[in-house]
Structures are given as C-alpha cells and as structure tokens.
Amino acid sequence: MVVLNLQVLHFPTAYTHQQLSLGRQSRCGIVIRCGIAEPSGEPAPMGQKTKYSDGFFEKAFMTLFARKMERFAAPVSSNLKKKKKGFFDYDFESFVDVSKRVVQGRSRIQQQEVVREVLLSMLPPGAPAQFRKLFPPTKWAAEFNAALTVPFFHWLVGPSEVVEVEINGEKQRSGVHIKKCRYLENSGCVGMCVNMCKIPTQDFFTNEFGLPLTMIPNFEDMSCEMVYGQVPPSLEEDPVISRPCFAEICSMANPSTNACHKLQA
C-alpha cells in the first residue's frame, strides 16, 4: 500500500486529480479496476470466497510484491516445484502462497521486519523524507491519503470507500472502510493479517512517513477500517492480540490455543 500511495510523488498533478475524480464514479473506486466478478458487484457474504477478475494493473502489483517477497520465503516443497514463473504468471493465490512461506519459521517481529524491508526496497532513495515534506500530519494529508487508498489499494484488499471519522474531537474524511479484505479472505489467517499487513503498514506510515495510521480489522465479517491521522495503539493494548485462529479455514491454525499462536511468538 505504501508504494501505491506514493505514486502521487511521481505523477504529474493533473494526472493525480484525474485518478481521484475517476475514483468517485462508483462505491468501490473505479468500476473497471475494482475487479469484482460477483453478479452483485459486491464482495461475497462471509463464508464464501469473493470472485475477482484481475487485469493488467492488478497482476502487475501482485507480481511486483510477490517477487520482492520471494527472497524471504521458504522454498517450495520439492513435490510442488514448478517451472519458474514469468512476469505475469502470478495471481492472487500465488501471491498469498509466497506470504505464507515468508511466515514459516519466523517470529511475529521477524515477519513484520520482512514487510518493512520489502516496502523500503520499492521506494526511491529519500522517499520517506520526501513524503514527510509533502504530507505533514495534517487533516488535509490524512484525507488525501485516504482518497488515494481507494483506487490504488483495491488489488490487495478489494473494494473500499472513504468514510468520515473523528480524530481528537474533529470530524474528517480520513477513514477508509474495506468491505471484505481480499488478503484476509484468501489467507484465512488472523496472524498474517496482523503481522504481514496491519502492524507493518501502521508502523511504516506512523514511523517512516510521520503520518499516523490505525488499521482496525473486523474478524467477524473480514471488513477493516483504516484511519489516517489516528495514532495506533501498541500491540499489547490492541484487541487483535487476543483473537483466535480461523480454525476452519486457516491451514496454519492451532485450534488448541485461545489466541492465534502467530500473534504470540
């Protein structure tokens, strides 16, 4: 997501305004880009996997992230090895598979550090400092980044929309409601949601970019709230730390534990 939001640092202003304008044409951002293949145009109900139809833009980012993460991933088991993937041979399932192999044998902190390294490797030199200059922690910066998230982040989390939130008693449109997170839906893993997405993304924006961000996943319906401008709590104070595994859908689940074991190690 950091890379997607930072595209504004490289695009001409007129192009960025065009993207934001197009993003308001539908509830999920841009109709063509949204990629939902469900007849309703909305994510499938809880318990059913949403169907997507990914295009060039989506596959390009899946491949970019997957290839960057491959160097940290555990090897594919010998009986599952296939020929080397071409640039557009990655789909969302193979991207999630790479994520799962990154998790193998790593502690919670180590998983988060991998994501940080991957994000840093995608940015040009000096990008965090440039971001801090362009987007100081103001209401405008928070709202602008929320607006960018909707059209540029859908490939990873599915359709989302900007919503009004309250920060320090002031209402602002710096919230993003993710209707049903594609990454959580496909991984089925509470630990991967927290360690590979929530915590490293919060930390990257808050500590590297200086723009606070809090992500609040809802494990009951797989939705998520992103709140730009809100300082995230420590993991010890965050309710996610006590969430149990999705025992029926997570391949790494440990049903004997009260809380997801990937959040404890």
Side-chain angles (χ1 to χ4, degrees):
M1 181 185 68
V2 174
V3 176
L4 300 181
N5 279 0
L6 272 182
Q7 289 192 38
V8 69
L9 300 182
H10 308 291
F11 290 160
T13 302
Y15 184 81
T16 302
H17 287 171
Q18 180 186 25
Q19 293 300 317
L20 293 178
S21 176
L22 287 172
R24 296 190 188 102
Q25 291 181 7
S26 75
R27 292 179 61 194
C28 63
I30 302 168
V31 176
I32 295 176
R33 287 184 172 185
C34 194
I36 289 280
E38 297 290 336
S40 65
E42 297 289 329
M46 187 66 175
Q48 300 177 32
K49 185 176 287 188
T50 306
K51 296 177 182 178
Y52 286 85
S53 178
D54 296 311
F56 176 88
F57 178 88
E58 291 84 1
K59 290 183 178 179
F61 275 99
M62 291 171 196
T63 299
L64 179 62
F65 271 76
R67 285 194 164 189
K68 288 285 187 178
M69 293 171 65
E70 276 281 8
R71 65 190 182 99
F72 299 99
V76 178
S77 59
S78 57
N79 61 327
L80 293 177
K81 283 186 177 179
K82 299 178 182 179
K83 66 177 182 178
K84 187 176 180 179
K85 290 182 179 292
F87 188 79
F88 286 107
D89 288 340
Y90 284 92
D91 55 17
F92 201 80
E93 288 187 2
S94 56
F95 163 71
V96 171
D97 175 69
V98 173
S99 297
K100 289 182 176 180
R101 288 190 284 114
V102 167
V103 169
Q104 292 177 25
R106 284 190 170 87
S107 68
R108 168 169 54 85
I109 300 299
Q110 290 171 333
Q111 294 170 44
Q112 295 166 18
E113 184 59 27
V114 165
V115 178
R116 179 179 178 276
E117 290 297 320
V118 168
L119 293 175
L120 282 173
S121 73
M122 293 183 177
L123 304 180
Q130 186 181 9
F131 188 99
R132 284 174 177 264
K133 290 180 181 178
L134 290 174
F135 302 109
T138 63
K139 175 182 176 181
W140 176 86
E143 292 184 335
F144 189 72
N145 276 270
L148 285 179
T149 296
V150 174
F152 289 135
F153 199 28
H154 72 277
W155 71 272
L156 180 60
V157 301
S160 61
E161 58 188 350
V162 173
V163 295
E164 186 176 76
V165 294
E166 187 172 309
I167 307 293
N168 298 323
E170 182 180 6
K171 292 185 178 180
Q172 57 190 55
R173 293 184 61 77
S174 66
V176 177
H177 173 68
I178 298 168
K179 298 180 180 182
K180 187 183 184 187
C181 180
R182 187 179 187 183
Y183 187 70
L184 177 58
E185 182 179 28
N186 280 264
S187 67
C189 181
V190 170
M192 286 177 64
C193 165
V194 175
N195 296 333
M196 299 289 287
C197 183
K198 171 183 161 65
I199 299 300
T201 301
Q202 287 181 168
D203 286 350
F204 210 87
F205 268 90
T206 303
N207 300 322
E208 299 289 341
F209 288 163
L211 180 63
L213 169 66
T214 297
M215 298 180 69
I216 311 169
N218 182 334
F219 295 107
E220 303 304 322
D221 62 5
M222 295 188 174
S223 66
C224 184
E225 304 294 328
M226 301 176 66
V227 186
Y228 288 94
Q230 179 172 299
V231 176
S234 65
L235 184 59
E236 291 71 26
E237 298 174 338
D238 198 312
V240 298
I241 195 67
S242 61
R243 287 295 310 185
C245 296
F246 284 123
E248 296 182 357
I249 60 175
C250 181
S251 60
M252 298 181 286
N254 183 352
S256 64
T257 59
N258 293 326
C260 176
H261 61 292
K262 292 294 182 182
L263 299 177
Q264 311 305 313

